Amino acid sequence: MKTLYTTQATATGGRTGSARTADGALEVTLVTPKELGGPGGEGNNPEQLFAAGYSACFLGAIKFVAAQKKVQVAEDSTVSATVGIGPRDDGQGFGLDVALAVTLPGIERTTAQEIVDQAHIVCPYSHATRGSLDVRITLL
């Protein structure tokens, strides 16, 4: 693979601490949710960051595929990622549950579904999770 872009982020304190990118463009306070035994409150958690990253990346993949098909993607198109975490069935740690909800207004449904299906192949987040995570995608 020819790398086109590289970034770096460093976390301190684990799920209750902080994380920031090397360039300082992103800095977040990390707080473990009460549901996972943490204090909850102000801050973010890795699942929120993953949901934001995956939804943005998947919408980018949709735009890439649509451009190849010469289909215009509306500015109000959205991808919402719902990310859950819980103990794996094998008892060996934790796993993620991911669902993507896609809205592509103004694109005929069959064409929109083709774009979404191809975007799931193109998107690096989808590629990285393929085989280890069941990502459910719904075209709304």
Side-chain angles (χ1 to χ4, degrees), residues 76-92:
D76 59 345
S77 296
T78 61
V79 174
S80 296
T82 302
V83 176
I85 184 172
R88 293 193 324 244
D89 291 339
D90 65 7
Q92 298 295 307

Side-chain angles (χ1 to χ4, degrees), residues 2-94:
K2 178 183 175 187
T3 302
L4 300 176
Y5 172 76
T6 301
T7 188
Q8 180 187 38
T10 301
T12 303
R15 287 183 159 273
T16 302
S18 65
R20 77 183 301 264
T21 56
D23 64 3
L26 174 70
E27 189 165 349
V28 295
T29 298
L30 300 172
V31 177
T32 304
K34 288 181 180 181
E35 296 86 346
L36 296 178
E42 293 293 318
N44 297 99
N45 60 65
E47 292 71 36
Q48 291 172 321
L49 299 173
F50 183 71
Y54 201 160
S55 61
C57 189
F58 199 82
L59 186 52
I62 285 171
K63 288 181 174 185
F64 176 82
V65 170
Q68 288 182 324
K69 293 179 172 285
K70 307 223 183 308
V71 174
Q72 182 67 35
V73 174
E75 288 296 318
D76 59 345
S77 296
T78 61
V79 174
S80 296
T82 302
V83 176
I85 184 172
R88 293 193 324 244
D89 291 339
D90 65 7
Q92 298 295 307
F94 294 88

